[in-house]
Amino acid sequence: MSVAVRVPEELSAREPVERRAPGLGRDGVRLLVSRGTEVSHHAFTELPRLLRAGDVLVVNTSTTLGAAVDGTAGHARVVVHFSTRGDDGRWAVELRDPDGRGTTRPRTGGPAGTEVRLPGAALLRLEEPLAGPGARLWWARVRGAAVPDLLRAHGRPIRYSYTERDQPLSAYQTVFALPEADGAGSAEMPSAARPFTARTVAELVSRGVQFAPVTLHTGVASAEAHEPPYPERFVVPGPSARLVNAARARFGPAGRRRGGRVVAVGTTAVRALESATGPDGRVRAAAGWTDLVVTPERGVRAVDGLLTGLHEPEASHLLMLEAVAGRAALESGYDAALHGRYLWHEFGDVHLLLPPETPHAVRC
């Protein structure tokens, strides 16, 4: 199988599991586990029994914003997707055309000077593209309202065409989300963490699994073109860096590691952690902007495993998974997901990629 195969439309998760199957919670999704090319099938509620004492889960604490706001450009209705706030107070935005079904379709970016009237007498003005001609995202200024206030009052979650209906913003928040005083957050949910519940976290902690919080505020994804990520804000706190370093430093006889696997929850957690990791493999406290694209050629320096959603195959996403687990593991996992009728996208099932078990692995 080629991992670039298109996923059948019927395997798109069109709404959250708790709405698809009343009586189930967020943790009611399926969990595909890959250990090298060996694949097994589980319920997500089994996750605490699949990890072991000393493992560290790296989680993204970014909260999801209601980043889609209706507006008008001239006489045309548009939807503004607010992506990322710049250091100078501008926002990177994408203008989209409403498609009449509650979702949107691509719209040509620009030109500079385009003005969009927003609710509450706010006015957005496009200034310059983030990249070259034809860029999807543009830097813009908003006058007449503070953007965080505008999003809280008039924004809704960004919704793509494979979903069935609008969902409340609460459906897009993870149990790890921590609102920030300045209103910063993610344009799209760090969705790999969505199935976690307070009960799951408590059981993991009781079994000796530790959590290392990091933050990466995701921008608006390129749903059609699958572009590499634009620069995004991230923070790796000192205590999280030390926790990861300590886990990776645990060795037994003959230099064999005694567990202490570092498992990132989502590709955003990988990008944040790897952006703070030096060539020597040590993680250091860091904050700022990252445009890191993790590839097999670069490899990963601090991550042993990855819990990720099942998404339409795209270049940067698959390159990261291959860097963590290898091409063969990725192909066998995607084969199993398709044959097993796993559900894709942010409301779908999840995939845990772990290193292969070895005869000397120490179980705790």
Side-chain angles (χ1 to χ4, degrees):
M1 166 206 166
S2 166
V3 290
V5 69
R6 296 287 298 178
V7 177
E9 187 176 341
E10 65 270 19
L11 294 186
S12 293
R14 301 190 180 281
E15 56 186 347
V17 62
E18 59 270 27
R19 295 179 181 269
R20 296 195 306 268
L24 292 182
R26 287 174 171 232
D27 57 3
V29 297
R30 298 168 69 192
L31 174 64
L32 179 72
V33 178
S34 293
R35 293 182 178 88
T37 57
E38 294 184 5
V39 177
S40 57
H41 304 272
H42 304 268
F44 183 79
T45 51
E46 297 177 63
L47 179 66
R49 295 190 292 278
L50 295 167
L51 299 177
R52 58 195 184 215
D55 286 343
V56 174
L57 288 177
V58 182
V59 297
N60 187 359
T61 64
S62 181
T63 189
T64 307
L65 304 175
V69 179
D70 292 324
T72 55
H75 297 291
R77 294 175 56 237
V78 298
V79 178
V80 180
H81 286 177
F82 285 85
S83 180
T84 305
R85 186 178 59 190
D87 292 332
D88 59 0
R90 297 187 298 176
W91 279 75
V93 302
E94 180 184 14
L95 301 191
R96 308 269 297 185
D97 288 325
D99 62 7
R101 300 188 298 273
T103 53
T104 61
R105 54 178 175 262
R107 176 188 176 93
T108 302
T114 297
E115 293 186 337
V116 179
R117 294 188 298 278
L118 298 172
L123 183 69
L124 177 147
R125 181 182 177 88
L126 299 184
E127 293 191 350
E128 60 180 333
L130 265 70
R136 181 175 59 90
L137 294 176
W138 281 64
W139 287 114
R141 290 191 186 276
V142 174
R143 293 180 173 82
V147 172
D149 294 339
L150 179 72
L151 300 186
R152 280 190 288 267
H154 302 287
R156 62 183 181 277
I158 290 174
R159 177 186 157 204
Y160 290 112
S161 59
Y162 51 78
T163 54
E164 191 167 274
R165 59 176 65 89
D166 285 343
Q167 302 292 337
L169 184 58
S170 59
Y172 290 84
Q173 304 295 0
T174 75
V175 71
F176 305 111
L178 295 174
E180 300 204 10
D182 63 0
S186 288
E188 296 178 358
M189 172 176 55
S191 56
R194 189 183 190 277
F196 284 85
T197 63
R199 178 174 180 170
T200 308
V201 173
E203 186 174 354
L204 284 162
V205 171
S206 73
R207 289 175 175 267
V209 176
Q210 298 174 289
F211 288 84
V214 300
T215 303
L216 187 139
H217 296 312
T218 66
V220 176
S222 171
E224 292 82 23
H226 300 314
E227 301 159 352
Y230 285 88
E232 294 167 325
R233 289 182 178 275
F234 81 101
V235 177
V236 175
S240 294
R242 291 191 289 274
L243 183 59
V244 170
N245 290 333
R248 293 182 61 80
R250 295 178 188 143
F251 291 92
R256 294 170 180 165
R257 283 182 62 186
R258 293 182 181 269
R261 298 168 298 185
V262 177
V263 179
V265 178
T267 58
T268 59
V270 176
R271 291 186 68 226
L273 191 65
E274 291 290 325
S275 296
T277 304
D280 60 355
R282 287 194 62 79
V283 183
R284 296 167 175 83
W289 294 83
T290 181
D291 58 0
L292 176 66
V293 177
V294 177
T295 65
E297 291 73 27
R298 178 198 181 273
V300 288
R301 299 165 179 169
V303 173
D304 300 306
L306 172 62
L307 178 71
T308 181
L310 293 161
H311 299 276
E312 285 281 2
E314 56 177 274
S316 61
H317 179 79
L318 290 181
L319 288 172
M320 179 185 291
L321 269 61
E322 186 177 345
V324 173
R327 180 76 179 188
L330 190 55
E331 289 184 342
S332 64
Y334 267 61
D335 265 332
L338 286 172
H339 292 147
R341 310 292 290 174
Y342 280 71
L343 295 182
W344 256 250
H345 302 301
E346 67 265 34
F347 295 136
D349 300 314
V350 285
H351 186 190
L352 177 61
L353 297 150
L354 292 173
E357 292 285 0
T358 56
H360 59 262
V362 176
R363 295 185 178 276
C364 302

